[in-house]
Amino acid sequence: MVRLLGTLPRRAARSVGAAIGALAYRLLGRLRGVGLRNLEMAYPDWSPEQRDRTLRGVYRHLGHLLAEFCLMPRYTPERAGEFIQYRGLEHYLAARESGKGVLVLTGHLGAWELSSFYHSLVGYPMGMVIRRLDNPLVDEFVNRIRCMHGNRVLHKDDFARGLIGAMRRGETVGILMDTNMTPPQGLFVPFFGVEACTAAGLARIALKTEAAVVPGFLVWEESEQRYALRFGERLELICTGDHEADVLANTAHFTAVIERYIREYPDQWLWMHRRWKTRPPGEAGVY
């Protein structure tokens, strides 16, 4: 399927991807239920129709992302530049000039696989903290495409040492910080007004290395019919001298930034992920 989609013109591949997404929405009832439950918690004032419409949009965007991934090996800087535009690249470049490394705060919003790929395609290779896929053959195949233009993978099961080394070398690493975690790696911070167990590693590394933290998301701009790779201003770290309190405060701050971007593009975030699965002690599950 990947090879077939990769041979199609981009418009046709995206149409096929959207159709696959629509089919997945209809067939994968459990995931659909999780998505609607998440939207109910995040947007309690929305009507059921609005939540359903948003979730359908998520599946459509995932279909588009599937198509883009299949087409990525064919992309050149010129070709990709026709439908991807930087917004705020100066924020990333200024952060890189600090010389202490850049941690790109990101999440499963928009076309996250295409974002790091495009950034490397135009001359800014970076590291990516990811979880190993269960199938090693698929894992190798996917990583080969991700790393075609100089990107490298840091696996979650042993990333701390590599991440610290990358910061000391002044490199850039992207971290998807919007997935459910469990203690002690995860801390509970508000996310859409609901306590969510959130990875604290980015805050710990940033405080230890003084690396620059910059938000970065590749989102689809419907009115322009193109993607925008948006970099926000460097985030100031909260440093009071109480290390554990600072880790918690910065994790909450980073999570609030992610939430702000999701609220701008609610139909482009991965609502089917059980983000609130881990609950504080004594609290009942939400799924």
Side-chain angles (χ1 to χ4, degrees):
M1 183 183 69
V2 170
R3 290 193 177 118
L4 175 62
L5 279 176
T7 62
L8 295 177
R10 181 169 175 269
R11 184 185 296 272
R14 282 170 60 86
S15 295
V16 172
I20 293 173
L23 183 63
Y25 174 86
R26 294 175 62 87
L27 296 180
L28 303 178
R30 187 183 69 83
L31 289 179
R32 184 172 67 248
V34 171
L36 293 174
R37 174 63 175 135
N38 284 340
L39 284 164
E40 181 183 26
M41 290 191 295
Y43 295 99
D45 56 328
W46 280 12
S47 68
E49 293 76 18
Q50 190 171 4
R51 295 182 196 123
D52 182 75
R53 185 167 59 251
T54 298
L55 193 60
R56 288 178 184 272
V58 174
Y59 275 91
R60 182 177 63 254
H61 281 290
L62 286 176
H64 289 161
L65 177 55
L66 170 64
E68 300 289 4
F69 186 84
C70 297
L71 293 166
M72 282 187 335
R74 291 169 46 192
Y75 287 160
T76 63
E78 295 75 23
R79 176 70 180 102
E82 295 174 3
F83 54 86
I84 302 177
Q85 185 178 74
Y86 274 111
R87 304 274 171 83
L89 178 62
E90 67 275 11
H91 299 312
Y92 167 73
L93 295 177
R96 197 174 65 162
E97 288 301 311
S98 70
K100 294 186 177 181
V102 180
L103 294 167
V104 178
L105 171 67
T106 191
H108 296 85
L109 176 68
W112 63 88
E113 288 285 1
L114 183 57
S115 62
S116 56
F117 181 87
Y118 178 71
H119 204 47
S120 67
L121 183 65
V122 298
Y124 304 111
M126 59 189 294
M128 300 169 287
V129 177
I130 62 170
R131 183 183 70 83
R132 296 179 193 272
L133 298 177
D134 294 334
N135 186 317
L137 296 177
V138 176
D139 187 70
E140 191 277 333
F141 169 75
V142 169
N143 287 333
R144 187 168 67 248
I145 295 177
R146 287 168 170 163
C147 301
M148 286 181 67
H149 300 284
N151 285 341
R152 65 190 187 94
V153 167
L154 300 174
H155 290 289
K156 275 188 175 181
D157 50 10
D158 183 31
F159 79 96
R161 190 181 313 126
L163 193 53
I164 291 173
M167 295 304 98
R168 288 174 175 165
R169 294 190 296 271
E171 297 174 1
T172 298
V173 177
I175 299 180
L176 296 149
M177 198 185 140
D178 60 347
T179 57
N180 180 71
M181 296 292 290
T182 56
Q185 291 81 9
L187 300 176
F188 285 98
V189 298
F191 184 56
F192 284 88
V194 182
E195 291 294 300
C197 197
T198 304
L202 192 154
R204 294 188 186 280
I205 296 297
L207 289 168
K208 181 178 180 64
T209 64
E210 298 182 348
V213 180
V214 177
F217 299 89
L218 182 67
V219 290
W220 177 254
E221 299 289 359
E222 187 67 29
S223 61
E224 303 174 28
Q225 292 294 292
R226 70 167 64 196
Y227 289 104
L229 181 46
R230 294 179 52 181
F231 283 106
E233 294 183 1
R234 177 176 179 173
L235 302 178
E236 293 297 325
L237 296 180
I238 300 168
C239 300
T240 67
D242 185 333
H243 181 71
E244 289 305 313
D246 289 345
V247 169
L248 180 62
N250 282 290
T251 300
H253 179 43
F254 298 157
T255 301
V257 171
I258 293 174
E259 178 182 329
R260 188 169 70 240
Y261 277 87
I262 295 172
R263 287 186 180 276
E264 285 192 61
Y265 306 90
D267 63 346
Q268 296 187 42
W269 189 62
L270 197 66
W271 290 102
M272 298 81 77
H273 170 63
R274 292 190 290 175
R275 181 65 182 91
W276 290 278
K277 178 183 177 181
T278 302
R279 307 311 308 139
E283 187 173 315
V286 299
Y287 302 112

